[in-house]
Amino acid sequence: MSNEKKTFYITTPIYYTSGHLHIGNSYTTVAADTMARYKRMCGYDVMMLTGTDEHGQKVERKAQEAGKTPKEFTDEIVADIKNIWEVLGIHYDKFIRTSDDYHVAAVQKIYQELYDKGEIYKSEYEGHYCSPCESFWTESQLVDGKCPDCGRPVEKAKEESYFFRLSKYQDRLIELLENNPGLLQPEARAAEMINNFLKPGLKDLCVSRTTIKWGVPLPFDERHVAYVWIDALSNYLTALGYKSDDDGLMKKYWPADIHLVGKDIVRFHTIIWFAVLMALDVELPKQVYGHGWLQMNGDKVSKSKASGAACIVDPIFLAEHFGKDAVRYFLLREMPFGSDGEYTYDGLMNRINADLANDLGNLVSRSTAMAVKYFDGKIPAARVSEPVDEELLSLTKTVGASAKPYMEAMSFSLALTEIFKLVSRANKYIDETAPWALAKDPEKSDRLATVLANLFEAIRVISNLLIPFMPDTCEKILSCIGASAVAWDSCAQEGCLSGEIAVSPCEALFPRIDVKKELSAVGLGEDTPAEKPAKKEKKKKSSEPSPAAEIGIEDFLNVDLSVAKVLECEAVENSEKLLKLKVTFGNEERQIVSGIAKAYAPADLIGHNVVVVKNLKPAVIFGLESFGMILASGQGENIHVMFADESNPGDRIR
Ligand code: MSP
């Protein structure tokens, strides 16, 4: 049998260098780092790749504006990006820059091979170019004459260009996505690719430009530079030495296990990238995972949406202010991976206060403080167990196994929910066993030692399992209780339950945040001018519902609010607002018509749990029967559905 470790190759998108990153961009890399750390804990030989996407018109223009060469300009941004990753505790195994010589040389060889094989041919391009997105669009793809991705104006472009025979791959791609449900995750995104892009028909893709200088020159026609997306996507191969003299890493790690990307760039990864790989006869990656967006006011996070307080989306500010582990935890806990989630500054602080300061921080500081106070930090080996210990100990033994499937599926928020069940159980155990009362009776000293040992066993397991999410904090906790990190699967093995335990105080892991004070400090407090216009605007809205009259609990209980899973979802023909959904409550399926189409595509909903007013009288909407109503807040494009992914279909909400 071979002694070689199993390998795991995970990639993040490479980041644009035309501007600075914000907390939304950091999301992909924090998630990839967490997955990489988890896989290392499971014994894998992990390769995590990240880097920068540097070529193109936008960088060329910005560098010119700054009076710098593109290379000088990107060097500075790359240094900033690397600093962000360091501050957020991202451990990457390789950082690739598309301006690296070896990458440029390999991209040229890729183009040459495609050209020699007849996959690339010369023609003339006429279309619309969105410079910020580096994307060409046909007339029919534009939305209101603007870029369909970012909504900004496009420029007409006509030039001699080389084309990649993308259309040839249309049927193979449809078949591939239809027959390999695991290939693109979450699964609903495959239907989106098939229905929105592949079935309407693929056109050959323009893959060269003559109007840009800052790019990879084509080896067979140096007047042209490579299309930035082909240049960028190739990084996943070139980083491993593809088309170089040393392709050892390629042999070891390819095919990639996961290309982790945001939902906006799934299209490039599953259509263009897959077709290029097919054309090169290179094996496809095992999975592309398209995660949701961190949003502000229903749209992607951006500095301009941060109500003037740009620092609240600045990863460096947040990490320095609240600690990198708290920021990492928030990102992965707040939104179900795969779906969108809303980001607010107070939401971040409330989450840190509730889960980290109150629950986890308190558990650790209370337990270590008691060990120091009652046993001078040395808990004796004598033990007296009681039935009340059983529940805590059995959860301690099983939590690693119950969180594992969620980690494997990158459902980080669900994995954290599992692990935090043990945090809550341990806090409850302190209340049940009242160690401070045991400490008053010298005859109960052995029992007190047992209670504390059980607590430290729970803390040991918790801080092992949280390593991928909060590495520094966990290292600190483990060292306070004299334990060390172990593999994920060995966590359940008894650690602190026998023998003496040496404990040192572990205080203020997550100091409580004064939310009001922090909001004021960044200009978002009640009394700061930044908040006032927003309030005025609220009053102006005539469609805002007026406050409802008080009701008794019996009135509330008359409304059956239940959790349902969305099985199917499609747009209602000729309606801009309506979606038709099929949902299940576990034992009953229903059709619901809902006016949320401006804010959600079907793929955003399929597979998710939502909250439904179940006993609403059936209605006919747009000629379709609807049995219930999906709960959501807001209006138009700013509607937010109340997702309930952590509850089970059929659960009643009270
Ligand atoms: N350069 C391309 C990727 C090329 S990969 C071969 C690119 N770069 S990016 O800097 O714009 O985006 C990097 C990542 O950040 C993408 O996965 C994108 O989806 C993600 N995000 C940007 N804003 C985001 C949020 N607000 N929320 C979550 N992720 C977001 O695209």
Side-chain angles (χ1 to χ4, degrees):
M1 222 177 84
S2 150
N3 282 335
E4 271 184 35
K5 277 189 178 181
K6 291 169 288 179
T7 60
F8 185 76
Y9 178 31
I10 183 166
T11 66
T12 75
I14 49 172
Y15 285 79
Y16 286 132
T17 49
S18 48
H20 293 272
L21 301 191
H22 52 67
I23 192 70
N25 305 115
S26 313
Y27 182 70
T28 320
T29 304
V30 167
D33 178 67
T34 301
M35 193 62 185
R37 285 175 191 269
Y38 161 73
K39 284 287 179 180
R40 281 187 206 107
M41 278 179 80
C42 292
Y44 283 77
D45 174 336
V46 174
M47 166 80 174
M48 177 183 148
L49 174 70
T50 190
T52 41
D53 183 355
E54 304 185 11
H55 292 131
Q57 198 165 31
K58 201 167 170 192
V59 168
E60 205 171 50
R61 277 190 197 155
K62 289 227 166 173
Q64 206 174 20
E65 278 160 28
K68 294 183 175 139
T69 64
K71 184 74 170 74
E72 284 164 356
F73 181 80
T74 51
D75 280 352
E76 281 174 21
I77 306 257
V78 169
D80 281 354
I81 292 178
K82 284 188 171 170
N83 184 38
I84 295 178
W85 299 154
E86 190 174 335
V87 170
L88 286 174
I90 309 290
H91 171 92
Y92 46 81
D93 298 287
K94 178 147 191 162
F95 191 100
I96 185 167
R97 299 180 56 174
T98 52
S99 61
D100 286 337
D101 290 345
Y102 73 90
H103 171 80
V104 170
V107 169
Q108 288 183 320
K109 288 186 185 159
I110 288 173
Y111 264 82
Q112 188 67 54
E113 180 176 333
L114 294 174
Y115 187 64
D116 293 345
K117 282 179 163 170
E119 297 282 349
I120 282 179
Y121 62 92
K122 188 150 96 180
S123 182
E124 192 170 66
Y125 184 80
E126 209 176 338
H128 303 268
Y129 188 69
C130 175
S131 160
C133 296
E134 321 265 18
S135 294
F136 284 105
W137 302 103
T138 56
E139 188 74 37
S140 64
Q141 285 172 316
L142 299 180
V143 175
D144 299 330
K146 300 207 170 113
C147 170
D149 266 0
C150 72
R152 282 180 271 213
V154 287
E155 291 163 16
K156 273 213 160 176
K158 187 175 176 181
E159 57 179 327
E160 175 194 287
S161 293
Y162 287 89
F163 283 75
F164 169 60
R165 296 189 192 282
L166 184 63
S167 59
K168 172 174 145 186
Y169 292 94
Q170 176 175 327
D171 293 343
R172 258 176 93 182
L173 288 168
I174 294 176
E175 203 185 304
L176 181 80
L177 290 175
E178 279 180 347
N179 297 333
N180 296 280
L183 186 58
L184 173 54
Q185 288 288 321
E187 252 174 73
R189 301 217 191 277
E192 196 184 321
M193 290 303 118
I194 293 169
N195 297 330
N196 298 356
F197 297 105
L198 290 166
K199 287 211 167 139
L202 284 183
K203 291 207 163 59
D204 286 351
L205 180 73
C206 175
V207 290
S208 78
R209 302 281 328 254
T210 49
T211 49
I212 302 173
K213 292 281 153 292
W214 178 234
V216 179
L218 300 196
F220 45 85
D221 190 342
E222 295 242 330
R223 290 170 305 128
H224 290 251
V225 297
Y227 171 43
V228 277
W229 269 100
I230 305 277
D231 170 7
L233 288 160
S234 304
N235 93 90
Y236 301 134
L237 290 178
T238 62
L240 299 183
Y242 181 66
K243 299 240 181 251
S244 77
D245 296 339
D246 180 4
D247 65 350
L249 292 177
M250 188 68 198
K251 289 206 176 85
K252 186 169 177 191
Y253 291 110
W254 192 262
D257 291 85
I258 298 177
H259 285 327
L260 184 59
V261 300
K263 64 177 185 179
D264 48 327
I265 56 173
V266 164
R267 185 166 61 94
F268 295 95
H269 282 79
T270 52
I271 299 180
I272 299 179
W273 183 227
F274 282 4
V276 167
L277 288 171
M278 286 171 178
L280 291 169
D281 288 316
V282 172
E283 210 177 328
L284 297 183
K286 292 181 199 156
Q287 187 180 105
V288 171
Y289 192 108
H291 66 68
W293 282 344
L294 197 63
Q295 300 191 320
M296 289 180 102
N297 309 325
D299 205 350
K300 257 208 294 189
V301 165
S302 78
K303 288 191 180 151
S304 58
K305 286 195 202 81
S307 311
C311 62
I312 70 164
V313 297
D314 175 1
I316 303 265
F317 169 82
L318 295 173
E320 284 175 351
H321 215 57
F322 302 119
K324 65 171 145 212
D325 283 353
V327 176
R328 291 170 63 106
Y329 174 81
F330 167 79
L331 285 173
L332 297 177
R333 176 66 188 80
E334 197 63 10
M335 48 194 260
F337 209 60
S339 315
D340 296 336
E342 190 66 15
Y343 170 73
T344 59
Y345 193 47
D346 43 340
L348 165 83
M349 291 185 282
N350 287 330
R351 177 61 84 181
I352 295 173
N353 276 345
D355 297 5
L356 300 182
N358 274 4
D359 292 352
L360 179 63
N362 250 343
L363 171 67
V364 176
S365 66
R366 282 207 286 176
S367 307
T368 53
M370 287 191 288
V372 171
K373 185 168 172 195
Y374 302 140
F375 293 109
D376 206 15
K378 286 192 186 56
I379 300 169
R383 303 281 192 265
V384 180
S385 295
E386 287 189 7
V388 67
D389 304 343
E390 267 323 295
E391 209 181 303
L392 176 72
L393 292 181
S394 71
L395 192 58
T396 304
K397 284 204 178 74
T398 54
V399 63
S402 50
K404 192 171 170 116
Y406 295 122
M407 291 303 288
E408 290 291 328
M410 293 205 291
S411 299
F412 298 118
S413 70
L414 297 180
L416 285 168
T417 307
E418 285 304 307
I419 300 166
F420 270 73
K421 280 183 190 161
L422 183 56
V423 176
S424 306
R425 190 62 194 82
N427 274 321
K428 188 170 161 217
Y429 179 78
I430 297 182
D431 299 338
E432 287 167 347
T433 53
W436 48 90
L438 296 172
K440 286 189 185 137
D441 183 349
E443 294 208 345
K444 297 211 168 127
S445 172
D446 289 351
R447 175 63 192 147
L448 179 60
T450 313
V451 165
L452 290 180
N454 290 342
L455 279 172
F456 289 122
E457 177 58 4
I459 291 171
R460 184 188 69 81
V461 168
I462 290 164
S463 41
N464 255 292
L465 300 182
L466 288 177
I467 286 174
F469 301 91
M470 300 189 281
D472 284 7
T473 304
C474 293
E475 194 184 310
K476 200 163 156 192
I477 302 175
L478 287 170
S479 109
C480 283
I481 64 169
S484 44
V486 291
W488 187 280
D489 294 328
S490 338
C491 241
Q493 281 155 24
E494 192 173 294
C496 294
L497 293 178
S498 55
E500 195 182 270
I501 311 168
V503 176
S504 51
C506 198
E507 281 152 17
L509 288 172
F510 301 99
R512 231 194 124 66
I513 306 163
D514 183 335
V515 176
K516 270 194 175 168
K517 204 171 120 198
E518 291 297 336
L519 284 173
S520 284
V522 298
L524 294 174
E526 286 285 312
D527 48 355
T528 49
E531 188 70 347
K532 283 180 189 146
K535 277 192 177 164
K536 262 191 216 148
E537 197 178 283
K538 240 187 174 179
K539 280 203 186 121
K540 265 196 278 163
K541 278 190 183 168
S542 55
S543 49
E544 198 74 31
S546 53
E550 270 182 1
I551 57 166
I553 184 75
E554 64 293 347
D555 288 324
F556 172 71
L557 289 176
N558 280 335
V559 184
D560 182 346
L561 295 177
S562 290
V563 176
K565 182 174 183 151
V566 180
L567 298 174
E568 293 168 17
C569 179
E570 61 184 70
V572 172
E573 226 174 288
N574 298 326
S575 164
E576 275 176 30
K577 284 190 186 164
L578 297 175
L579 291 179
K580 186 177 86 175
L581 302 97
K582 190 189 226 182
V583 303
T584 175
F585 294 92
N587 52 7
E588 185 199 348
E589 287 183 6
R590 288 191 186 185
Q591 172 170 297
I592 297 180
V593 178
S594 177
I596 52 177
K598 285 200 166 166
Y600 291 89
D604 296 329
L605 299 163
I606 296 171
H608 290 286
N609 291 345
V610 294
V611 180
V612 172
V613 184
K614 197 176 172 191
N615 59 341
L616 194 72
K617 273 191 198 147
V620 176
I621 305 171
F622 228 68
L624 297 165
E625 284 186 304
S626 180
F627 302 93
M629 182 176 88
I630 291 178
L631 286 198
S633 64
Q635 292 176 14
E637 287 163 14
N638 289 328
I639 288 178
H640 296 285
V641 165
M642 303 294 136
F643 285 105
D645 284 325
E646 287 165 24
S647 305
N648 296 314
D651 283 355
R652 177 104 189 247
I653 293 176
R654 294 163 208 279

